Amino acid sequence: MPKSINLKIILHIFIAFTLIVLSSCENLTSSYRSVEKIQKSGVIRIAVYTDKKPFSYIDENGNYQGYDIYLANRIAKDLGVEVEYVPVISSSRIEALNSGKADLLLASFTRTISRISLVDFALPYMKVSIGVLSREGDLYYNMKQLSGKTIIVNKGTTAESFFEINYPNTKLIKYDSYQEAFSAFENGEGDAISEDGIELLAWSLEHVGYKLTMDSINSQEAIAPAVQKGNSTLLSWLNAEIKYLAFEQFFHKDFEATLRPIFGSAANADTIVVEGGLF
């Protein structure tokens, strides 16, 4: 008899646990909003950076600007809704999306194998490689020279994981935001700073005494919008939108409007821009 009672108790506990798990899964999968729900609400919530000039940042007047913002505004327009920007840092991007705080992630998000298991990527709209920026008078031109050196990176970025996996003999100083990382580098911390090469180039053009000595220490990768896993309606809409925008060379126009004023002749649109998702 005691064994029978114990089995019943165990069975009830198992059923209760199963119900809790199923309930949690339902809440997780229902935290995203379909295109229909977004349009009914009149607002799309888009996660972006506030300090990654010239891709996504807040200007001196308190307005969002940049390459990603240009795209975000067009997405909202074509959906027939307003934009609500959700500020993120590199390490909080996926959480903002999967918690339902944001419908869409447009924060220079590189498509990687590890991230594909966590979010659904739409077609890419940009391509990047990791670079290394150092100080004039103390320049590093290859990875061998960086052995044992201290590198500044942002938490949650491809630069961080690249050095951890491939160059464990380097020492990493990790920051939460781009502003903190670059300020630390300006103040003398670290031997070099690593981030997307095109981002480092943009910063170096506005700051005297620094040089992008390595613009590509890895293979070129795609940057793409991301939505929560399972949000098939928004994913399909985004893919169709990116293909449609290719007919008007939208991302080349985006480059000219937001990046050309910074880069001038130092960067070519075709080395950065992806049209129609054709990476």
Side-chain angles (χ1 to χ4, degrees):
M1 184 67 68
K3 288 184 179 179
S4 177
I5 293 174
N6 288 340
L7 287 173
K8 287 182 179 179
I9 292 173
I10 292 171
L11 181 59
H12 283 303
I13 291 173
F14 176 77
I15 292 172
F17 178 76
T18 301
L19 290 173
I20 291 171
V21 171
L22 290 174
S23 176
S24 298
C25 290
E26 183 179 356
N27 289 336
L28 178 63
T29 57
S30 63
S31 64
Y32 60 73
R33 300 193 303 162
S34 65
V35 170
E36 182 181 8
K37 287 182 178 180
I38 290 169
Q39 289 177 324
K40 282 185 177 180
S41 74
V43 174
I44 183 168
R45 301 186 297 254
I46 302 181
V48 296
Y49 286 120
T50 61
D51 62 350
K52 194 171 183 177
K53 186 180 180 180
F55 299 97
S56 179
Y57 65 101
I58 297 177
D59 66 16
E60 62 276 7
N61 297 316
N63 299 316
Y64 281 91
Q65 302 286 357
Y67 186 82
D68 287 349
I69 304 303
Y70 193 96
L71 172 58
N73 289 334
R74 178 58 182 267
I75 287 171
K77 177 184 177 182
D78 289 352
L79 276 170
V81 298
E82 299 295 322
V83 181
E84 177 186 327
Y85 289 114
V86 180
V88 292
I89 57 177
S90 297
S91 59
S92 72
R93 289 177 293 184
I94 294 175
E95 187 277 333
L97 190 63
N98 287 339
S99 66
K101 293 178 183 177
D103 303 303
L104 171 63
L105 180 57
L106 281 182
S108 298
F109 201 47
T110 306
R111 186 179 62 190
T112 66
I113 296 298
S114 60
R115 290 171 178 172
I116 287 173
S117 65
L118 302 174
V119 301
D120 282 339
F121 281 96
L123 293 171
Y125 61 96
M126 187 174 163
K127 49 194 174 185
V128 296
S129 296
I130 299 170
V132 174
L133 182 77
S134 47
R135 300 179 183 89
E136 291 183 358
D138 191 17
L139 300 175
Y140 301 91
Y141 291 95
N142 58 64
M143 298 306 295
K144 187 177 181 179
Q145 290 179 315
L146 286 178
S147 179
K149 300 298 182 180
T150 301
I151 314 298
I152 292 177
V153 296
N154 255 327
K155 296 177 184 177
T157 62
T158 51
E160 177 191 27
S161 59
F162 177 82
F163 275 94
E164 287 180 338
I165 294 170
N166 299 290
Y167 296 94
N169 58 334
T170 56
K171 303 171 186 177
L172 300 183
I173 304 177
K174 303 178 182 182
Y175 286 93
D176 288 316
S177 73
Y178 287 99
Q179 183 176 358
E180 290 175 339
F182 280 111
S183 292
F185 191 53
E186 279 191 285
N187 291 331
E189 289 192 36
D191 297 300
I193 184 170
S194 183
E195 177 46 47
D196 292 341
I198 197 66
E199 164 71 9
L200 296 175
L201 175 61
W203 191 85
S204 68
L205 290 172
E206 295 192 330
H207 296 79
V208 178
Y210 304 90
K211 187 174 182 180
L212 180 65
T213 51
M214 290 182 268
D215 62 359
S216 180
I217 60 175
N218 70 328
S219 57
Q220 203 168 51
E221 297 178 300
I223 284 181
V227 301
Q228 193 177 138
K229 276 284 183 186
N231 195 349
S232 57
T233 63
L234 184 54
L235 183 66
S236 296
W237 188 93
L238 285 168
N239 285 336
E241 174 79 345
I242 289 170
K243 289 179 181 179
Y244 170 77
L245 292 176
F247 289 104
E248 59 184 76
Q249 291 290 284
F250 172 84
F251 292 105
H252 279 79
K253 293 177 182 177
D254 189 349
F255 178 94
E256 294 300 326
T258 63
L259 302 186
R260 180 67 72 193
I262 301 295
F263 293 123
S265 60
N268 188 308
D270 290 331
T271 64
I272 300 170
V273 167
V274 174
E275 293 283 6
L278 300 176
F279 173 70

